[in-house]
Amino acid sequence: MLPKLFFGYFAVAITALSLLVVTRRNPVHSVMWMLLMFFNLASMYLFLNAEFIAAIQVIVYAGAILVLFLFVVLLLNLREELQTNRFIRAWPAGLVIALALLASIFFSISSFVPGISGRYTNDYVQKETFTKVLGQVLYTEYLFPFEIASVILLISIIGAIVLAKKRTRS
């Protein structure tokens, strides 16, 4: 009963904080709500015995990505943006799309058959530790997609360097 209560709390808290992120008019407030949402998400990962993912969530997302978002928000001219009502007409279409997405998520979850487990059961993961099992799966079964993702990131880093480099006259 207690695990379901904790999971329910985290699910409701993350959903409510996500809604606060996208509905606030002030972008700085949205970033702060996002920080709280990231910490709740990391707590849910800890609850699910995924300590490595929880640490990465805090270090990468709550640390680096959120600071980047905050710098971008602070570099914008927010006085003009806060006074305009640009997206008022888009709410009905957004509501219809959100309801369709929620319905598709509900139907995909309801078709899930519990009891079918793969090679990695809870007992196996707890015996071997989550980080070790994640490394085994990542570097054996998913090595090719992992390498493709690293090449894409390398290309984006090179592109950012090329775009940021000042052109010098020879």
Side-chain angles (χ1 to χ4, degrees):
M1 178 66 180
L2 194 59
K4 289 183 181 179
L5 186 66
F6 276 122
F7 188 83
Y9 162 74
F10 286 127
V12 169
I14 290 168
T15 304
L17 290 169
S18 299
L19 288 172
L20 284 171
V21 167
V22 297
T23 57
R24 299 299 95 191
R25 288 186 57 88
N26 190 337
V28 176
H29 293 167
S30 290
V31 170
M32 292 301 134
W33 286 117
M34 191 183 303
L35 176 66
L36 192 58
M37 191 250 326
F38 283 158
F39 281 123
N40 272 293
L41 191 59
S43 300
M44 180 180 261
Y45 287 140
L46 281 176
F47 175 70
L48 295 173
N49 294 327
E51 299 87 9
F52 179 73
I53 302 294
I56 294 299
Q57 175 73 30
V58 170
I59 292 169
V60 173
Y61 286 100
I65 302 295
L66 204 68
V67 169
L68 178 69
F69 283 176
L70 193 58
F71 280 137
V72 169
V73 164
L74 292 176
L75 287 174
L76 297 174
N77 185 6
L78 297 177
R79 290 191 183 119
E80 290 178 18
E81 297 295 324
L82 290 176
Q83 294 173 353
T84 60
N85 294 328
R86 296 185 311 177
F87 301 111
I88 297 299
R89 287 179 257 136
W91 276 102
L95 184 63
V96 168
I97 292 171
L99 290 175
L101 181 64
L102 285 174
S104 67
I105 290 172
F106 175 75
F107 288 124
S108 66
I109 289 174
S110 65
S111 67
F112 176 71
V113 180
I116 299 174
S117 62
R119 185 173 128 197
Y120 302 103
T121 61
N122 284 339
D123 296 331
Y124 178 76
V125 170
Q126 287 183 354
K127 185 180 85 171
E128 291 289 326
T129 71
F130 178 79
T131 309
K132 185 175 181 181
V133 172
L134 180 66
Q136 286 174 348
V137 171
L138 187 62
Y139 293 120
T140 57
E141 296 175 26
Y142 296 102
L143 181 63
F144 186 67
F146 180 75
E147 291 297 326
I148 294 297
S150 65
V151 168
I152 290 172
L153 286 172
L154 178 65
I155 291 170
S156 66
I157 290 170
I158 292 171
I161 291 171
V162 168
L163 289 174
K165 184 180 176 189
K166 293 182 181 179
R167 299 190 188 271
T168 58
R169 293 186 182 199
S170 301

